[in-house]
Amino acid sequence: TATLTITGTNFTGVSCPSGVRLDDLNGAGAAVNTQVTSCTVDSGTQITATFPAGIRTNGNTGWNVIVTNSNGSNSTSSFKFVPRAGLLISEVMYEGSAANIEFVELYNPTNNAIDVNALNLKLRRRTAAGGDSAPVAFTINNNIIPAKGFFLMASSTSSAQTWYSSVDATFTAAFAPDNIVYISTTANLTGIIDRIGYGTITDTTLGCEGGNANCATLGINNSIQRAPAGGAGNATDTDNNASDILTQSAGITPKGTASATEP
């Protein structure tokens, strides 16, 4: 959640919470218009408002804060609300030294532990042309991701790999050479937390972040990783895969909740 202090004019008479919202969009580009969960009109020039968790990121652009009074609503705000993903996909491999050796690593860039069960976390994949799979069913062994820590989901086929002891959740092999990998809190496109695309993607509804020209290249026995953001952890998140994702490498580093945290 995020509590904001909103300044402006003519706030007297604004109805809380219905009078304060964002102009945010979901993963398919449709309006969400997330409303605050609570707010207080402190004065005619200030409102204190709390937005719920799960608002989609929009890079460094953010969303306009819209306040409605009896005369109408503003169309833009001088300062935007810039949410950040609570979890990030930090490393992906779809095929290792043998078929179906695959993993998806998550990184928690926040200062708080995250319970993936409470989050109702779902792992999803979307085909190159836009076919959406059912959530990839996984069995969770460790559900608490430490602050600045990792969470490792891997195919059960990977059990002979040296890094498998770090796995926090297992699934049946599901990924292909050209995919959008994403995590969400719902069974549709509205609750997307983060996504990474690799290969040749033609889907125009939910392609790679920043557009399909920014998709990563990923070959067999290689992984793609998210870049650090001022530290060791994989926290760079501009909502553009070309800026956020490093060049594929055979030097895979899958990490889980038992691994050292990285600021």
Side-chain angles (χ1 to χ4, degrees):
T1 64
T3 299
L4 310 183
T5 299
I6 305 166
T7 58
T9 58
N10 299 319
F11 287 165
T12 301
V14 170
S15 179
C16 283
S18 61
V20 183
R21 63 175 178 83
L22 300 176
D23 65 350
D24 56 319
L25 308 176
N26 66 19
V32 177
N33 296 328
T34 298
Q35 183 179 292
V36 296
T37 53
S38 64
C39 70
T40 301
V41 179
D42 303 314
S43 68
T45 59
Q46 179 174 299
I47 295 173
T48 302
T50 299
F51 283 97
I55 296 169
R56 179 173 173 258
T57 60
N58 193 28
N60 294 323
T61 302
W63 307 107
N64 290 296
V65 180
I66 309 300
V67 177
T68 301
N69 63 15
S70 58
N71 295 319
S73 307
N74 57 300
S75 57
T76 61
S77 55
S78 299
F79 294 91
K80 307 295 192 294
F81 173 52
V82 183
R84 297 298 183 192
L87 284 179
L88 296 169
I89 299 174
S90 49
E91 187 171 3
V92 174
M93 182 171 75
Y94 82 86
E95 185 170 341
S97 55
N100 299 326
I101 294 176
E102 50 193 53
F103 68 82
V104 177
E105 175 198 274
L106 308 182
Y107 178 65
N108 174 9
T110 76
N111 292 319
N112 301 298
I114 293 178
D115 184 340
V116 297
N117 287 335
L119 191 63
N120 194 26
L121 184 72
K122 292 178 173 57
L123 174 63
R124 306 288 300 272
R125 78 174 181 91
R126 197 170 172 89
T127 66
D132 211 5
S133 73
V136 177
F138 53 84
T139 301
I140 297 175
N141 302 317
N142 305 301
N143 62 298
I144 303 297
I145 310 177
K148 311 297 184 182
F150 298 87
F151 184 80
L152 185 60
M153 298 177 281
S155 62
S156 53
T157 319
S158 306
S159 58
Q161 305 303 302
T162 56
W163 46 263
Y164 194 77
S165 59
S166 298
V167 168
D168 298 300
T170 57
F171 57 83
T172 301
F175 296 100
D178 306 281
N179 269 173
I180 302 294
V181 178
Y182 68 99
I183 51 174
S184 68
T185 58
T186 65
N188 53 41
L189 302 182
T190 61
I192 295 173
I193 301 171
D194 191 35
R195 73 183 191 268
I196 288 179
Y198 61 86
T200 302
I201 304 297
T202 57
D203 178 17
T204 57
T205 300
L206 187 73
C208 300
E209 287 190 343
N212 292 337
N214 296 311
C215 296
T217 299
L218 180 55
I220 293 173
N221 221 25
N222 285 352
S223 75
I224 45 175
Q225 295 189 46
R226 184 177 294 275
N234 304 85
T236 299
D237 183 28
T238 65
D239 284 352
N240 185 319
N241 282 178
S243 301
D244 300 343
I245 308 304
L246 300 173
T247 303
Q248 64 172 333
S249 169
I252 66 171
T253 59
K255 300 167 190 171
T257 56
S259 303
T261 58
E262 296 184 7

